[in-house]
Amino acid sequence: MKCPFDIEDLREAVRVLQQGGVILYPTDTVWGIGCDATNAEAVQRIFDIKHRADAKSMLVLLDGAGKIQGYVQSIPDAAWQLLEVSEGQRPLTIIYPHARNLAPNLLAEDGSVGIRITEEVFSKSLCEHLHKPIVSTSANISGQAAAKTFAQIVPEIKNAVDYICQYRRKDTEEKKPSSIIKVNEDNTIQIIRQ
């Protein structure tokens, strides 16, 4: 099967991420601003670009459920069940307790982190080639509406990042943000966004 994107586009995005840079890239939901999720300085740059309070956490993308355990202390059974039932459905972000091995300023005040497993070909390849989770936050100034297509992203965001991926820039289909469910240690769940 032919690769649907330019491999040089992917390589440049990965190179920028490895050097601590910030990229603008397509995801399985809306366009995202991303960086290496283990790099606190890069995470801080995204907060600055979005004019967002540090107290607000950001989610990360991974390319497979088997990698979650590297970034949370333990995975509640309810989270595994949600991952199973969400396959092939609308993208789902699960907030896990007790994050680890991530930039501290990425986490919520209670130490939790939102993780989404991406099946979208480009963002999945980014994670695979970086060998780390990637921050994924909507490409908008905090408090403004999320850009649902590349064309809706404001120039201030485009000018602030180190690299803008080429893939899917011409898409006109408006994507929706993921559902968000918080799973607690005791397996209780809380729906944050349907």
Side-chain angles (χ1 to χ4, degrees), residues 62-72 117 127-128 131:
L62 283 171
D63 56 306
K67 296 185 177 176
I68 297 169
Q69 54 209 7
Y71 301 100
V72 297
I117 306 304
C127 292
E128 287 171 352
H131 305 291

Side-chain angles (χ1 to χ4, degrees), residues 76 78 97 183-189:
V183 180
N184 300 303
E185 279 180 280
D186 62 1
N187 285 300
T188 57
I189 65 169

Side-chain angles (χ1 to χ4, degrees), residues 5-24:
F5 55 82
D6 180 352
I7 197 71
E8 288 307 316
D9 188 25
L10 177 73
R11 283 187 181 134
E12 183 60 16
V14 171
R15 186 190 68 75
V16 169
L17 291 170
Q18 287 170 332
Q19 294 181 346
V22 174
I23 65 169
L24 195 53

Side-chain angles (χ1 to χ4, degrees), residues 43-163:
V43 169
Q44 185 56 52
R45 275 199 55 213
I46 293 179
F47 280 121
D48 295 344
I49 289 168
K50 287 180 65 83
H51 305 292
R52 185 172 175 160
D54 293 3
K56 287 192 168 185
S57 59
M58 294 185 288
L59 68 92
V60 302
L61 294 184
L62 283 171
D63 56 306
K67 296 185 177 176
I68 297 169
Q69 54 209 7
Y71 301 100
V72 297
Q73 288 178 12
S74 64
I75 303 170
D77 290 338
W80 286 118
Q81 292 166 359
L82 286 167
L83 285 168
E84 283 179 27
V85 299
S86 70
E87 279 186 39
Q89 306 297 315
R90 181 173 165 199
L92 171 66
T93 300
I94 298 177
I95 300 174
Y96 298 86
H98 308 297
R100 62 180 180 170
N101 302 324
L102 294 166
N105 54 341
L106 182 63
L107 311 181
E109 289 178 359
D110 65 359
S112 64
V113 66
I115 298 175
R116 187 168 77 243
I117 306 304
T118 181
E119 294 300 330
E120 187 273 334
V121 63
F122 192 84
S123 54
K124 187 177 183 88
S125 294
L126 274 176
C127 292
E128 287 171 352
H129 286 80
L130 185 64
H131 305 291
K132 292 179 181 176
I134 298 173
V135 170
S136 182
T137 184
S138 55
N140 61 307
I141 303 298
S142 194
Q144 295 180 3
K148 294 178 180 166
T149 64
F150 178 76
Q152 294 175 5
I153 301 170
V154 297
E156 182 179 348
I157 296 284
K158 292 176 182 174
N159 294 333
V161 299
D162 301 306
Y163 183 71

Side-chain angles (χ1 to χ4, degrees), residues 155-172:
E156 182 179 348
I157 296 284
K158 292 176 182 174
N159 294 333
V161 299
D162 301 306
Y163 183 71
I164 302 173
C165 296
Q166 299 294 319
Y167 183 60
R168 288 183 39 211
R169 283 196 193 185
K170 292 184 170 78
D171 281 7
T172 55

